[in-house]
DNA sequence: TATGAATGAGCTTTCATTCAT
DNA sequence: AATGAATGAAAGCTCATTCAT
């Protein structure tokens, strides 16, 4: 792993576990096994580093979602895919995703605006799928917006507790959450692992992970 | 409001919005309209203040849950109550609850252990209700533990976005979430506002809020 | 013991053991079992308290020396008396004397000048006795000034280690030091406890101690 | 002089004159002509700096004494050497020695224990010489322990008043004190400057001073 | 590429002191 | 006589960042 990669990895790890404000430049340097002065060869300011992590993480998520839902009209299939992708990303990349979910308030106003815009762009996919499903009468929910927020929080929570060392395989996790989400939307159908095969492939490709069950 | 109360309120507000590490003693002093030296008449260290907030918040939640579920054997009723209480607490006290949910990592090891023990004690109520419902064949979930975590995250998320100024009344919010939760648990039944009346009363009592629809 | 006395005693104890700068107002308050605000009923500033302790301690020493050497022309007798008084004062009042000996640098310039003047006045008794003894050819020392300083340091050191709980009685201590001092001055004669009886009485009177061997 | 050396020199000077608690970080920075932040490149905590000064000072003293008394059986010679070394060290390095003698109480318990152990190791040389002299009937003292303490205090006092700018040369000072000490021990013999030549050399070597009469 | 040295600004916390009650 | 409340100033120490080498 190059020095630049070590810096980024250190930032992801520490921002995720100790928070942006709880992580010092010296902590980053120690984690990356560099001097604190050397860090500045690989980053701008500390905030730049945070922005970069958040931006690339969200862009990847948007990229993955765009790829995985392209050409699918069925809202149920799209929803299943969105949930699976979200959960897989949060389980496989808990560092990045926790940073995105928890450290938005640490950004300065202009950077926050850009990050929030990306997040909104991402959430549009969810909103659209729910709206379409409601219009098609396959989803039944009195409060589509609230339901969307509830689903997103439910799925994002995975990053807080999932461990690849535990008994639950990634694909089972994704399958389970996809089912829960469809239940929430009033469309309780079984989801099979093979329905999500494409999601796993997209995730592996976008996040550059080895293609295997548990990444 | 006394100085001591102003200090606590300032801490809740700022810890919730800017995070523990992102909040300086001077920020607290300014928010509480006191000098930073005077703060120390009303608190120990900054961490003591955090611990106090987390502890009382969790104790209240446990207290509320104990009161509201006492004497109820039906797992569906208990679950409905747990969800409603959780959502109401997070919507009515978003500051405290966000601090509890987000700042555990800011605690020193011994304090963290105590807080986590309280949180575990609270979650036992959820685990028990889900287990009982599954045993009684009214809940259907292949992964009870995962489902519990998913529900908790879903409900806690309310503290991140709910606003009493929005169109959604607290009781509608609670009703909606109770329904979503029962759907997640494979027991999709309608929930009526009157089913949750007792919850509203317990919340009003435990958090010392005025008894009215929107608190 | 009155509050005023408790304040003074607390200051003597803490200034002696932790130093003036190492002792906080809150330490004094705790030791005196008063609130820190109440302290200020019994003292001016912290420095005033220090000055008062040093001044009364030195004035008592001067008073004692004046009383005990009055009417004695013999330099050997005077020297014996000076040493005995000094050692007894330092052994019986180690707090006050340590403060006087160690905390002069903590004083502001004007206060220091006054205290140093008193100390000089006291040391004049030693200088005079040594000069007279040298003139009378009973003391033999090539460096009278150095010898005086050496003797003073030797005797003051008692306050750092003597304990009344140890095996050495005060009168034996004084006798021993008187002999050592006369040896230093080239006049090695035995000193008997009864030679110092008057010293013990003067010390008991000036410091208001119970008249007994060990005070 | 390097920055690191300036920091140490500043600490010695200020701790000696104003005391540890009376010296602020900003005072040290000003004296060392560095910013207060920069100080922390060259030290750990303020206490670490104090410990370092005390430890190296005592280790040097022990080193010097071991070197200078090696191979000497005669208690009189050893005593003469101990006194001369002690006095020379205190006169030539008044800063370090005053810090060692006066600031032990400023140390935390574990650091104090280590420093006191070193001091005890040093004082063993004195105790041994006095015991041996008494056993050989060349020293006559009824209270060997008290006498040792008296001598140490007498000699340490030099650091409080000796100035190389005064009329007294270092070697005369040492000679005079050696004679006083032998008088105290009941062995009043003349000491010649040439008896102490080796001591001067050892001091010059251990403290890295230019070899000349007045250093 | 890498870092030791450096720093102004800031951190949390304590300081000695005052004052209304 | 006694104190809780209050504070400006200062304490020891760390911050993110720069720069010469």
């Amino acid at each position: 792993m190059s020095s630049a990669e070590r810096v980024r990895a250190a930032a992801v790890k520490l921002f995720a576990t100790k928070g942006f404000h709880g992580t010092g430049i010296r902590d980053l340097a120690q984690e990356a096994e560099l001097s604190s002065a050397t860090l500045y060869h690989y980053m701008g300011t500390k905030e730049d580093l945070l922005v970069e992590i958040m931006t690339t993480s969200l862009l990847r998520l948007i990229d993955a979602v765009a790829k995985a839902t392209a050409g699918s009209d069925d809202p149920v299939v799209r929803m299943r895919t969105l949930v699976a992708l979200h959960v897989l990303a949060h389980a496989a990349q808990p560092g990045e995703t926790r940073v995105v979910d928890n450290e938005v308030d640490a950004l300065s106003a202009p950077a926050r605006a850009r990050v929030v815009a990306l997040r909104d762009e991402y959430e549009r996919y969810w909103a659209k799928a729910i709206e379409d499903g409601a219009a098609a009468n396959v989803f039944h929910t009195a409060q589509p917006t609230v339901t969307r927020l509830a689903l997103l929080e439910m799925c994002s929570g995975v990053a807080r507790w999932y461990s690849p060392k535990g008994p639950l395989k990634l694909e089972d996790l994704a399958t389970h959450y996809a089912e829960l989400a469809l239940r929430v939307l009033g469309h309780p159908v079984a989801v099979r692992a093979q329905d999500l095969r494409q999601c796993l492939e997209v995730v592996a490709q976008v996040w550059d992970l080895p293609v295997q069950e548990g990444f």
Side-chain angles (χ1 to χ4, degrees), chain A residues 37-187:
Chain A
T38 304
L39 280 187
Y40 284 87
H41 276 280
Y42 301 102
M43 52 181 260
T45 66
K46 201 175 92 163
E47 191 187 7
D48 291 340
L49 191 51
L50 176 62
V51 169
E52 194 276 335
I53 290 167
M54 288 182 156
T55 304
T56 61
S57 182
L58 280 167
L59 286 175
R60 280 182 161 171
L61 204 52
I62 292 168
D63 183 27
V65 163
K67 282 194 169 106
T69 62
S72 168
D73 278 344
D74 185 344
V76 174
V77 171
R78 257 150 65 209
M79 202 65 228
R80 210 172 59 188
T81 300
L82 288 171
V83 169
L85 273 179
H86 194 96
V87 166
L88 287 170
H90 279 70
Q93 303 291 323
E96 274 89 346
T97 46
R98 286 174 67 177
V99 171
V100 170
D101 292 338
N102 297 325
E103 301 300 327
V104 172
D105 290 336
L107 293 168
S108 64
R112 180 160 53 240
R114 271 177 285 135
V115 167
V116 168
L118 286 177
R119 200 187 58 188
D120 289 347
E121 182 184 345
Y122 171 69
E123 293 195 10
R124 273 305 300 151
Y125 284 88
W126 287 63
K128 189 70 171 24
I130 293 171
E131 286 161 18
D132 291 354
N137 215 35
V138 292
F139 294 160
H140 307 95
T141 176
Q143 305 275 358
T145 302
V146 174
T147 304
R148 185 187 80 241
L149 294 168
L151 286 176
L152 278 164
E153 294 286 351
M154 180 179 90
C155 297
S156 296
V158 165
R160 301 198 192 210
W161 60 262
Y162 179 78
S163 165
K165 293 171 186 158
L168 201 61
K169 284 187 295 183
L170 272 180
E171 95 185 77
D172 295 334
L173 180 77
T175 309
H176 188 64
Y177 267 81
E179 264 192 32
L180 296 188
L182 293 177
R183 284 180 176 185
V184 164
L185 290 162
H187 190 86

